Amino acid sequence: YEMENLAGAVFAIYAAEDIYTADFQKDDAGNRILEYAKDTLVAELTTDETGSATIKNLPLGNYRVVEKTAPDGFVHKKAEQNVQFVYVDQDTPAVVESVELINERQKVEISVEKQDAENGSTIAGAEFGLYAKEDIKAGGKVIVKADEQLCTAVTGEDGTAIFEQNLPFGSYYIKELQAPDGFVSSDEIIEVTVSYQGQDVEVVRLKEIFKNQPTTVEFRKSDLTTGEELPGAKLEVTDQDGTVVDEWTSGTEPHIIKELEVGKEYTLTETLPADGYVTAESITFTVEDTAKSQKIEMKDDVTKVEISKTDISGKELPGAKLTILDKDGKTVENWTSEEKPHYIEMLPIGEYTLREESAPDGYLVAEDVKFTVEDTGEIQKVVMKDEV
């Protein structure tokens, strides 16, 4: 603001000492006649549109000038000034003294606190803009047009953004320009009206609260066939730089991650499938700007092994008693061969041994067959042949 002359300021003038009549009159006892005793109120003056107020014909002496009422919109000036009127000479008809007092305009401070809508914690990194709701005038002139952006502010570690520009009184609105990382954009608009709070208030402080919903992504690990939740798989989410954001082992309920950044790309990777399942392909997804839960589902297929017991010609051979052992020698499956291959699902990925416990009549027991269940959803075929 530029310096301007202010009307409506009320000043009181007090005698700073005992002040006697100017013509040196004396009473019957020979004492000078007192005009104003010390601390007596001499006069009150109010400034006009030129910012001035004048009093004439004061006796010589020392006076105090005190501001009683500040102009509308300004802060009370609590300091006082002394004015000394001293005789100059016989050729000076009047002694003129002036006092200048400067009032500070009442300041306006508008701040915004950003909170997590779920738990009320404060959030850094949100950017806000402050706009004039209507034309704002000062001194009869429009100094800010309606819908003009006056300034921006970003929330700090304490979750507060302060609009530091010297703001005039008037009506404003605040809107979010950029949501903090991990939170959904808000289209909420908050209106603020700032008016003069009286001469004893130096700064009018107004604080508003904005709440944002965090982003929510729900991850399901399910069986490809049944669609049911599949526990036991180890999963991780990485960002675009390959940094691990979260890792977990799937359970019977979906896994939820909050505050992933809107518009950024992430990858869901299965680092180890549940026993009997095949590692699924990674899923890349982009976080949407919505308060609704975004659902990501990764489906796992089971391993499939087909075991054929045949004669040397390749014909299926029934009647053989067969066993599958894991790498620790533990039996995981046993059966008697039929006229069709034996089909097994959900053998965990790894090394196994196919053993013939007894051969059909007329055939020799075959040697053990080592095989590996690979990480694939395709049918894996294992053949054991018996000689006659």
Side-chain angles (χ1 to χ4, degrees):
Y1 299 101
E2 297 179 355
M3 295 289 288
E4 59 179 304
N5 297 322
L6 304 176
V10 178
F11 294 95
I13 300 174
Y14 296 92
E17 61 185 5
D18 287 344
I19 298 175
Y20 297 91
T21 57
D23 53 8
F24 291 90
Q25 294 181 13
K26 295 182 179 180
D27 58 19
D28 294 339
N31 298 317
R32 293 183 59 187
I33 297 176
L34 189 66
E35 182 89 15
Y36 300 112
K38 184 180 179 181
D39 297 326
T40 299
L41 176 65
V42 175
E44 284 191 357
L45 305 176
T46 302
T47 57
D48 59 20
E49 65 276 358
T50 68
S52 300
T54 304
I55 185 171
K56 297 180 180 181
N57 300 322
L58 287 175
L60 297 179
N62 194 12
Y63 297 86
R64 287 188 296 116
V65 180
V66 179
E67 183 179 74
K68 292 186 66 178
T69 305
D72 191 41
F74 289 80
V75 179
H76 181 221
K77 185 78 171 180
K78 295 180 181 178
E80 61 181 50
Q81 291 195 27
N82 276 51
V83 181
Q84 181 77 42
F85 293 97
V86 180
Y87 177 71
V88 179
D89 55 40
Q90 64 182 11
D91 297 321
T92 304
V95 179
V96 179
E97 296 289 346
S98 64
V99 174
E100 183 181 73
L101 291 175
I102 298 174
N103 289 85
E104 294 289 338
R105 187 180 293 273
Q106 191 171 81
K107 292 181 174 60
V108 175
E109 181 186 282
I110 299 175
S111 63
V112 181
E113 183 177 287
K114 172 62 69 175
Q115 293 183 357
D116 184 322
E118 291 190 348
N119 57 32
S121 61
T122 56
I123 313 165
E127 183 179 9
F128 294 95
L130 181 69
Y131 300 81
K133 183 183 175 184
E134 56 194 11
D135 288 349
I136 297 176
K137 297 179 181 180
K141 296 181 180 179
V142 174
I143 57 173
V144 181
K145 292 183 178 179
D147 298 316
E148 180 180 337
Q149 185 186 90
L150 286 92
C151 52
T152 62
V154 178
T155 58
E157 292 302 318
D158 63 351
T160 301
I162 300 175
F163 297 105
E164 295 181 341
Q165 182 172 329
N166 193 6
L167 300 169
F169 301 129
S171 294
Y172 301 89
Y173 62 88
I174 306 167
K175 64 181 180 181
E176 186 177 71
L177 303 178
Q178 178 67 49
D181 291 342
F183 288 81
V184 179
S185 297
S186 172
D187 57 2
E188 181 182 10
I189 292 177
I190 291 181
E191 295 184 358
V192 180
T193 298
V194 185
S195 57
Y196 183 49
Q197 299 295 307
Q199 66 178 17
D200 295 323
V201 179
E202 291 186 12
V203 182
V204 179
R205 289 185 171 89
L206 300 176
K207 187 171 185 177
E208 299 293 340
I209 293 176
F210 266 83
K211 295 187 177 184
N212 285 65
Q213 289 286 347
T215 60
T216 303
V217 183
E218 182 181 297
F219 298 90
R220 288 197 65 215
K221 164 57 68 174
S222 61
D223 184 301
L224 177 66
T225 305
T226 66
E228 294 179 358
E229 205 71 31
L230 176 60
K234 292 187 176 180
L235 303 158
E236 68 178 20
V237 170
T238 53
D239 62 16
Q240 291 169 291
D241 300 323
T243 302
V244 176
V245 175
D246 195 8
E247 53 188 352
W248 69 96
T249 299
S250 63
T252 56
E253 298 293 334
H255 181 73
I256 293 174
I257 303 179
K258 291 184 178 291
E259 297 185 26
L260 293 180
E261 294 184 36
V262 171
K264 286 200 173 182
E265 198 173 76
Y266 295 87
T267 301
L268 171 64
T269 302
E270 185 170 38
T271 57
L272 184 67
D275 286 346
Y277 287 85
V278 178
T279 302
E281 290 186 6
S282 295
I283 297 174
T284 298
F285 62 95
T286 300
V287 179
E288 299 171 2
D289 192 3
T290 175
K292 294 180 179 179
S293 181
Q294 184 175 343
K295 299 184 185 336
I296 308 295
E297 185 173 9
M298 177 180 275
K299 297 178 180 289
D300 274 6
D301 199 359
V302 295
T303 61
K304 308 174 188 73
V305 179
E306 184 180 88
I307 298 178
S308 291
K309 160 56 69 174
T310 68
D311 59 21
I312 294 177
S313 69
K315 181 181 177 182
E316 290 292 330
L317 182 62
K321 293 185 177 180
L322 302 167
T323 299
I324 293 177
L325 307 172
D326 63 17
K327 63 180 180 179
D328 298 321
K330 181 181 178 181
T331 299
V332 294
E333 180 94 0
N334 50 42
W335 73 98
T336 300
S337 63
E338 299 178 355
E339 293 179 350
K340 61 181 180 179
H342 183 66
Y343 180 74
I344 306 172
E345 285 187 347
M346 296 187 66
L347 277 180
I349 295 165
E351 297 177 353
Y352 295 88
T353 299
L354 173 61
R355 177 168 295 165
E356 186 172 32
E357 304 292 351
S358 64
D361 290 345
Y363 289 87
L364 298 174
V365 173
E367 292 185 2
D368 290 351
V369 174
K370 302 284 187 181
F371 68 97
T372 300
V373 176
E374 305 287 351
D375 191 0
T376 174
E378 301 294 326
I379 296 176
Q380 303 172 60
K381 296 184 179 181
V382 179
V383 179
M384 176 181 273
K385 294 186 177 183
D386 278 3
E387 292 187 13
V388 293

